[in-house]
């Protein structure tokens, strides 16, 4: 005897589903452990399947109803929260109307009146190329001029041209060796060459440092540094 089948037949009889007399007959045969006729077996299966479908539909309906109820409740809570936010915002706006304007707001209005200052950054790669490439041909200090340190760049340029001119003049004989004291003659050209390359390295590093400082100030304050 199948316990599940007996229980299912009991439930059908209790719920009044199907032919009660036929179900009683089927229940009696199941409890006695007898096999059901094919027609009775199909009849029982059809009742159980249709009843199962009804139960499934009822369950789905309940789930959908619960989901809709929950969604409606969430929408009501959200609506109440939005109303509270709007009320608090109105209170805040009203309380801030009578307060004096703070200094930062005055500065923002002042900036707006004068319009934004658009200052572009200096390209570090361009600064490096100008210092390295042009510095090799005695045009040192051009990188400083690019980052708007005109006075320092001009001074480095004049000094590099002077050292180059002295070196070339000494090598070509334009400056007679007799005019240079013997104690200095042996070290004159090495001093000029080493001074030239020291100036060359300095102007590369210094121009790059100034370019980085310039860009940092422009990025932070939107204008050129005051010491430029």
């Amino acid at each position: 005897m199948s316990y599940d089948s007996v229980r299912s037949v009991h439930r059908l009889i209790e719920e009044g589903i199907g032919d009660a007399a036929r179900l009683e007959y089927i229940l009696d045969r199941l409890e006695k452990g007898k096999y059901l006729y094919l027609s009775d077996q199909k009849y029982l299966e059809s009742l159980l399947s249709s009843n199962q479908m009804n139960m499934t539909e009822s369950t789905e309906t309940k789930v959908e109803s619960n989901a809709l109820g929950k969604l409606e409740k969430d929408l009501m809570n959200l609506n109440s929260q939005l109303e509270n936010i709007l009320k608090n915002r109105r209170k805040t706006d009203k309380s801030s109307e009578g307060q004096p304007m703070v200094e930062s707001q005055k500065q923002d209005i002042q900036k707006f009146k004068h319009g934004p200052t658009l200052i572009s950054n200096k390209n570090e790669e361009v600064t490096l190329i100008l210092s390295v490439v042009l510095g090799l041909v005695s045009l040192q200090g051009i990188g400083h001029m690019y980052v708007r340190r005109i006075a320092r760049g001009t001074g480095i340029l004049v000094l590099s041209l002077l050292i180059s001119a002295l070196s070339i003049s000494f090598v070509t004989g334009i400056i007679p060796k007799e005019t240079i004291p013997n104690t200095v003659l042996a070290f004159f050209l090495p001093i000029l060459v080493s001074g030239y390359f020291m100036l060359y390295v300095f102007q590369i590093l210094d121009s790059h440092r100034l370019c980085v400082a310039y860009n940092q100030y422009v990025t932070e304050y939107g204008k050129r540094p005051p010491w430029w």
Side-chain angles (χ1 to χ4, degrees):
M1 177 181 65
S2 174
Y3 177 76
D4 292 336
S5 299
V6 173
R7 186 177 61 180
S8 299
V9 174
H10 274 295
R11 182 170 54 81
L12 292 173
I13 294 172
E14 291 174 356
E15 294 180 1
I17 299 173
D19 187 353
R22 189 172 183 178
L23 290 174
E24 289 287 350
Y25 170 75
I26 293 173
L27 178 62
D28 181 65
R29 291 188 64 86
L30 289 173
E31 288 178 345
K32 292 179 179 180
K34 296 179 180 181
Y35 291 102
L36 295 178
Y37 293 110
L38 183 60
S39 59
D40 292 335
Q41 186 176 353
K42 290 184 177 180
Y43 176 72
L44 180 60
E45 290 176 354
S46 65
L47 286 178
L48 292 175
S49 62
S50 62
N51 186 49
Q52 184 67 30
M53 291 177 61
N54 292 333
M55 291 179 63
T56 303
E57 291 176 356
S58 177
T59 304
E60 291 177 352
T61 304
K62 290 181 180 178
V63 172
E64 291 177 357
S65 177
N66 292 334
L68 290 174
K70 185 178 180 181
L71 179 60
E72 184 178 359
K73 185 177 180 181
D74 292 340
L75 289 175
M76 292 177 64
N77 292 333
L78 181 60
N79 188 30
S80 62
Q81 291 177 3
L82 289 174
E83 289 179 355
N84 292 332
I85 292 173
L86 290 175
K87 289 180 181 178
N88 293 332
R89 186 170 182 178
R90 292 192 193 100
K91 291 180 180 178
T92 304
D93 293 340
K94 289 180 179 179
S95 61
S96 61
E97 286 178 356
Q99 294 179 356
M101 186 179 298
V102 296
E103 189 66 24
S104 59
Q105 292 175 334
K106 292 181 180 179
Q107 293 178 357
D108 293 338
I109 294 175
Q110 193 70 17
K111 290 180 181 179
F112 179 77
K113 288 181 179 179
H114 291 86
T117 303
L118 299 178
I119 303 297
S120 59
N121 291 344
K122 298 297 181 179
N123 194 311
E124 295 181 18
E125 295 180 356
V126 173
T127 304
L128 188 63
I129 291 173
L130 293 175
S131 302
V132 173
V133 177
L134 297 181
L136 291 174
V137 292
S138 302
L139 297 178
Q140 301 180 19
I142 304 299
H144 287 75
M145 296 180 183
Y146 172 72
V147 295
R148 302 185 64 83
R149 294 305 295 266
I150 306 299
R152 181 178 295 189
T154 303
I156 294 174
L157 178 62
V158 171
L159 184 59
S160 65
L161 290 174
L162 179 61
I163 294 174
S164 299
L166 289 174
S167 301
I168 294 172
S169 299
F170 180 78
V171 172
T172 57
I174 297 176
I175 299 178
K177 295 181 179 180
E178 292 77 9
T179 59
I180 301 173
N182 292 331
T183 55
V184 182
L185 182 61
F187 305 101
F188 185 72
L189 186 60
I191 290 174
L192 291 177
V193 174
S194 60
Y196 179 85
F197 282 103
M198 288 175 62
L199 182 63
Y200 174 71
V201 173
F202 166 77
Q203 60 96 25
I204 293 175
L205 298 177
D206 191 55
S207 62
H208 180 265
R209 179 185 63 82
L210 293 173
C211 182
V212 171
Y214 180 92
N215 291 338
Q216 289 179 348
Y217 191 91
V218 169
T219 302
E220 184 173 358
Y221 297 101
K223 59 181 180 180
R224 294 189 182 95
W227 59 85
W228 237 256

